[in-house]
Amino acid sequence: MKLALRTAARLVLVALAGVLVAGAVAAAPAQASDPGTNVVGGTRAALGEFPWMVRLSMGCGGSLVHPQVVLTAAHCVSGTGNNTSITATLGVVDLQDSTAIKVNSTYVLQAPGYNGTGKDWALIKLASPVNNVPLATLATDGSNDNGTFNIMGWGAASEGGAQQRYLLKAQVPFISDATCKAAGGSYSGLVDAEEICAGLTQGGVDTCQGDSGGPMTKTVNGTQIQVGIVSWGEGCARPGKPGVYSQVSGMYTNIKAGLDQLTGTVPPGGCGKSFTNGTDVNIPDNTTVTSTVTASGCSGAASGSSKVEVHIVHTYIGDLIVTLIAPDGSRYVLHNRAGGSADNINQTYTVNLSSETANGAWKLEVADKASADTGKIDTWTLTV
Ligand code: ARG
């Protein structure tokens, strides 16, 4: 949190300090028992003021959006997949508070399609649910993407400054996409639907390095709605260089879909890639044959709703047992002699492959269990 003091009377700029520019003073008072870290005129958040606020061990912020899931920035994580390396700290404003709740990650979902421009969100699944900590409420539409916002974090209190022990907060006004783009440089590439800007024209109040991933909220009728995720800015608190935040409302549908995936509505995992083998394989009578695809370029597990699209030409599908075999040999029966004398299988099967590693050689096995009718595997596609 960059909070710089600018008053005509005093030209003291205390680098360590979280100091709010006059007129941007946040509503709640600083904690009464100030442990004396020299926060001059600034505001330290009170315990419980931002109860869903999370500090992540890689040096980012986050918000608890489900008892077992933290929302953060895509640029704070390295990709999608199993990940036990992140520790989330919750329930405190002082990171050294011995009552802090600490929980490790199990899985990270980085926004699909994230490439450094827009889509700066990620979800971190925790090893166990955190109970009795209020959850952040996400903006589902753009109706609160205006006015004055709350920003908070343990990040640097000045450009290039140190990370903070105590949670700092400030308030910044909304800046339109047009004004934000006019700041030039990287700002001109702003992704309207995925990014929202905030800051003072004259600078002086902003988020900064280490605040990334943390929430930006709007207080509506006494409750906070998370409208943003700290993303980037040119330096910190520079005049004419707003803070850029991921626009929660514009990406809500995707964030919610990710949340559903992590919380079991759809089992986790998957890289969404498809692999096809279109080489015909004959299916002689009373014989078992296979066709292989090799999945690559995925990280971690296959999807809980993987698809197997099967096209088999055969004159009596009641003869056939069709099985998907995972790289580790696990077997998933797709078709087991159903269909009687019907011809051909042209069907897409949905299979929970979340316990399988996506990469590797997958086989479609077709066993013909009776005489007289034969056919071939025409083509099949696996989407993991
Ligand atoms: N990218 C920074 C981080 O990783 C956050 C920068 C926010 N900068 C700003 N001027 N608002 O912590």
Side-chain angles (χ1 to χ4, degrees):
M1 185 79 45
K2 160 79 168 183
L3 305 155
L5 178 64
R6 301 245 202 113
T7 63
R10 299 192 190 210
L11 290 170
V12 188
L13 194 132
V14 182
L16 316 164
V19 183
L20 292 170
V21 167
V25 177
Q31 221 174 349
S33 56
D34 187 318
T37 45
N38 202 19
V39 175
V40 179
T43 36
R44 191 175 284 179
L47 192 61
E49 199 177 351
F50 307 108
W52 21 254
M53 185 68 196
V54 179
R55 177 65 172 178
L56 297 168
S57 53
M58 84 293 270
C60 277
S63 56
L64 193 70
V65 293
H66 172 278
Q68 213 169 340
V69 182
V70 174
L71 176 64
T72 187
H75 81 263
C76 288
V77 301
S78 51
T80 294
N82 295 333
N83 185 328
T84 55
S85 71
I86 304 166
T87 302
T89 301
L90 302 95
V92 293
V93 290
D94 175 2
L95 293 177
Q96 292 175 28
D97 188 328
S98 61
T99 68
I101 300 165
K102 290 185 190 273
V103 192
N104 288 334
S105 61
T106 55
Y107 188 87
V108 171
L109 174 69
Q110 190 179 45
Y114 173 70
N115 66 3
T117 304
K119 297 184 179 47
D120 196 7
W121 64 269
L123 294 167
I124 299 176
K125 185 163 189 187
L126 303 176
S128 56
V130 178
N131 296 310
N132 305 318
V133 170
L135 303 177
T137 303
L138 299 180
T140 55
D141 60 50
S143 59
N144 293 307
D145 294 352
N146 50 55
T148 301
F149 301 129
N150 308 299
I151 50 175
M152 64 224 69
W154 286 275
S158 61
E159 194 175 317
Q163 299 292 296
Q164 300 293 299
R165 170 176 170 179
Y166 297 96
L167 180 63
L168 296 180
K169 64 169 184 178
Q171 292 191 315
V172 280
F174 168 77
I175 290 180
S176 72
D177 287 343
T179 304
C180 196
K181 282 183 184 163
S186 303
Y187 292 94
S188 54
L190 196 80
V191 183
D192 290 9
E194 299 175 359
E195 295 180 304
I196 178 171
C197 303
L200 297 169
T201 312
Q202 71 272 29
V205 181
D206 198 4
T207 44
C208 199
Q209 267 52 44
D211 291 324
S212 278
M216 176 169 80
T217 68
K218 180 169 183 186
T219 306
V220 182
N221 299 325
T223 61
Q224 293 177 67
I225 307 287
Q226 182 173 352
V227 297
I229 302 168
V230 180
S231 182
W232 62 276
E234 198 179 299
C236 302
R238 296 185 188 174
K241 302 293 178 188
V244 182
Y245 300 79
S246 304
Q247 189 161 8
V248 171
S249 64
M251 300 187 286
Y252 177 77
T253 309
N254 297 316
I255 296 173
K256 179 68 167 65
L259 191 56
D260 288 345
Q261 196 180 83
L262 291 198
T263 57
T265 312
V266 180
C271 76
K273 289 196 179 188
S274 297
F275 304 91
T276 298
N277 187 336
T279 304
D280 290 358
V281 178
N282 286 327
I283 308 168
D285 268 336
N286 290 304
T287 305
T288 297
V289 298
T290 61
S291 170
T292 302
V293 296
T294 301
S296 62
C298 298
S299 57
S303 172
S305 51
S306 294
K307 306 286 180 203
V308 194
E309 183 183 335
V310 177
H311 297 280
I312 292 172
V313 177
H314 198 277
T315 50
Y316 197 106
I317 66 171
D319 287 0
L320 303 179
I321 302 174
V322 181
T323 307
L324 176 72
I325 305 176
D328 71 353
S330 304
R331 300 173 67 85
Y332 298 85
V333 175
L334 306 175
H335 170 95
N336 192 355
R337 304 200 66 172
S341 63
D343 288 349
N344 307 334
I345 295 177
N346 289 297
Q347 199 173 325
T348 299
Y349 303 89
T350 300
V351 188
N352 181 352
L353 299 178
S354 60
S355 65
E356 305 293 341
T357 298
N359 284 343
W362 295 81
K363 288 191 171 75
L364 187 73
E365 179 190 271
V366 180
D368 182 298
K369 294 294 189 186
S371 310
D373 292 272
T374 61
K376 63 174 184 178
I377 302 175
D378 185 7
T379 180
W380 72 289
T381 298
L382 173 67
T383 305
V384 286

